[in-house]
Amino acid sequence: MTNDTLLNKIRQANPLVHSITNQVVANDVANSLLAIGASPMMAIAPEEMEEVTGFAEAIVLNIGTLTTEILEAMLIVGRAANQRGIPVILDPVGGGATQYRQEAVSILLKEVTVQLITGNAGEMAYLAGVDWSSKGVDAGTGMTSGKMIAERVAHRYQTVAAVSGKEDFVSDGQTTVGILNGDPMLTQVTGTGCMLSGICGAFLAVDKYDTLESTVKACTAYGVAAEMARDNQDVKGPGSFRVSLMDALYNLSEKNIHDKKNVKRYNANNSKEEDNE
Amino acid sequence: MTNDTLLNKIRQANPLVHSITNQVVANDVANSLLAIGASPMMAIAPEEMEEVTGFAEAIVLNIGTLTTEILEAMLIVGRAANQRGIPVILDPVGGGATQYRQEAVSILLKEVTVQLITGNAGEMAYLAGVDWSSKGVDAGTGMTSGKMIAERVAHRYQTVAAVSGKEDFVSDGQTTVGILNGDPMLTQVTGTGCMLSGICGAFLAVDKYDTLESTVKACTAYGVAAEMARDNQDVKGPGSFRVSLMDALYNLSEKNIHDKKNVKRYNANNSKEEDNE
Amino acid sequence: MTNDTLLNKIRQANPLVHSITNQVVANDVANSLLAIGASPMMAIAPEEMEEVTGFAEAIVLNIGTLTTEILEAMLIVGRAANQRGIPVILDPVGGGATQYRQEAVSILLKEVTVQLITGNAGEMAYLAGVDWSSKGVDAGTGMTSGKMIAERVAHRYQTVAAVSGKEDFVSDGQTTVGILNGDPMLTQVTGTGCMLSGICGAFLAVDKYDTLESTVKACTAYGVAAEMARDNQDVKGPGSFRVSLMDALYNLSEKNIHDKKNVKRYNANNSKEEDNE
């Protein structure tokens, strides 16, 4: 992997990432985009969504606090981005939880071509059509649940899929990569998944032609930043971890990523191959 | 009081608390729920509100940035929660400030049975029908204003009422409990009252049958966490206090609460009885 | 300048500043208002906007995440504030970026008399009718771009204009003042401009008759607080800077401002005159 330099590209180009995200995490998403080196835009009015694609370099759609108006805005910006070749990332927060969200995700995936779908195992399992609540989708097969879910979502929607968890999995349906960086404290702060999908937007903005690799880089960078945040001795809980995470995203260097990355590639017969050179 | 273990119950059960809250504090409410051990859900679309009650274990309605659509969502989720026996908490932010809010609160209290109403003295005085702006409702009686307001709201709406202040008062109209834990810095951070109503949701989710006691436990836990946050030597003002409060909610133990709680029960003839065994 | 005491006035009077702001920064705007000593109100429903002017002492309109409903609310509260003589501040976030925003700003400025327009150079250049994207509006003239933009906006709209940047410029079209306080880290945190427009609201609330001076005081106080935040040795990046900024706004004293202020007045022939007595 020679494109560890994507982080530096973001910091040189400051790509504008337009996020329609949920109102719980909008501030953290914007600040994490700034910290990684991108320019956040967070407009939501349907009336300006088409025009936004005139200068946005990636679009992130997050359905956390979806409403009818927000869905309308997402469809407009998504279609316009497709026409202009701007990458679209979908974060189907709470995806399968209600029929309303199920239908919204279905419409979005029908009307908009997305380069990347990213979510936690439960959200992505819904898209994969597997029953995550049973927590037994892969019992007896030896496969990691998250891995299978990522592969199925990628295959089903002909896209790249990223499933966050203790090990993150990114798959394009052919190749699957596992990222072991990160920290459990990420689960104790709201919106850390939303921040990751935003950061994926920043990485895809500077390399939209290899979505799998851009997404792996994004997940690795974010996971390493989380480890740096955790290693800060002033961190006493989720409040200070969140502050420290923002600092770590800002201070993150290619060297930090190179030194700490813990990435595994899975080939067709499912054996692991380390990729930490 | 033997149910100090409610905190541990929350941490074991991770009850899902669904909050329709205001956009100013949504992030802090979600993070404080995570910190205390609950699972936050923050959906707002009327279309999914009925379904949400299929898995929510408490509903918190906060009118801080109310709109017509949000009120509609609150009525749907409130009525559905009533049918399923899920506790509903109302935080009437700015309750009496405008006619719009007065009417919204009136509709909510007419259409939805609420187990708990919680707010500051000004908001609750409006509901009690007393003139708080005069700051003299109890002059000459020796009674504490907040106490009288809590009792009146509880009596008037046949519910439990919690009035936050230097001393918090929780009343079911018969029994009133004062909680002296807390810190003045709570008044210097926006949304600390909204976080408390969210946390009351977490406590009621694990013990909905004794709302008075669950609410007293919630107020005590929150007040003790605020004291722990204040005692953090790194706290230099409201910014760092807010971070420290989130850490303290996360690190809070039953022992902390037992050691620091400062709770008084008022019997019918208004004499105090300490309850810090 | 003898009205350095505006800060103390705010802390004594706790003026209620009503902000219709964007959902990304609403929490930070409210907390920065509390930290400086004001009372934030953040209601957004059109139905209560007229009534809000019965107790608000300044109105801040920020179009960051504008929608049709929010614009309607802004027009109602703006007109009502004009009738009651309450100062109105406009922060045209992303002002020229889309036609939707251009039209919204145009309607707002036509329907509402604003005492102060405040934004960054790009946003204000749009209002000035100059091409900021060329970054060459003043090439060869020796004038500072931000200064010219502030003067043009002030002249064009018969108002006070504040352009934030490395040097902030405040102009009423006749007199222009440059404020050199501040810190580059302000550009790494979302909403720091929105916080400044909120704080301008607090200063105008306690002295609405000399908008130029009140705004200069607000910008100076904010810039000095940013310097104090940066000088905090615990600050490691934008996450901790933001926390420290909130603490600094809270701890800020007239003496801090007096000791650190770096303000220059420009007279008609554009020579500078220091104003740091």
Side-chain angles (χ1 to χ4, degrees), chain C residues 178-194:
Chain C
I179 298 105
L180 284 148
N181 296 102
D183 188 79
M185 192 55 90
L186 287 170
T187 65
Q188 302 301 310
V189 177
T190 198
T192 53
C194 307

Side-chain angles (χ1 to χ4, degrees), chain B residues 206-265:
Chain B
V206 294
D207 183 4
K208 65 184 179 186
Y209 299 105
D210 192 345
T211 303
L212 180 80
E213 289 306 322
S214 299
T215 305
V216 169
K217 295 295 176 197
C219 294
T220 308
Y222 191 66
V224 169
E227 292 172 16
M228 289 165 62
R230 172 205 60 201
D231 291 344
N232 177 349
Q233 299 210 334
D234 296 333
V235 169
K236 304 288 199 307
S240 45
F241 175 78
R242 176 186 169 217
V243 172
S244 188
L245 178 60
M246 221 58 92
D247 287 351
L249 287 168
Y250 179 78
N251 293 313
L252 187 68
S253 68
E254 295 287 3
K255 182 171 183 338
N256 296 141
I257 296 172
H258 183 268
D259 291 350
K260 290 172 182 280
K261 75 174 177 181
N262 192 352
V263 173
K264 298 197 190 314
R265 301 188 163 257

Side-chain angles (χ1 to χ4, degrees), chain A residues 22 61-66 74 90-95 101 105 108:
Chain A
N22 68 74
L61 307 178
N62 175 312
I63 67 165
T65 53
L66 195 69
M74 287 181 174
L90 175 64
D91 188 346
V93 177
R101 277 163 202 252
V105 169
L108 281 166

Side-chain angles (χ1 to χ4, degrees), chain B residues 68 98 101 190 236 239-240, chain C residues 27 31 43 47-48 51 247 251:
Chain B
T68 305
T98 63
R101 277 162 205 253
T190 197
K236 304 288 199 307
S240 45
Chain C
N27 185 271
N31 272 326
E47 294 90 335
E48 58 183 337
E51 213 174 341
D247 286 351
N251 293 314

Side-chain angles (χ1 to χ4, degrees), chain C residues 63 66 71 75 99-109:
Chain C
I63 67 166
L66 194 70
L71 179 58
L75 289 169
Q99 202 175 337
Y100 176 69
R101 277 162 204 253
Q102 290 173 10
E103 287 170 10
V105 169
S106 172
I107 293 168
L108 281 166
L109 286 170

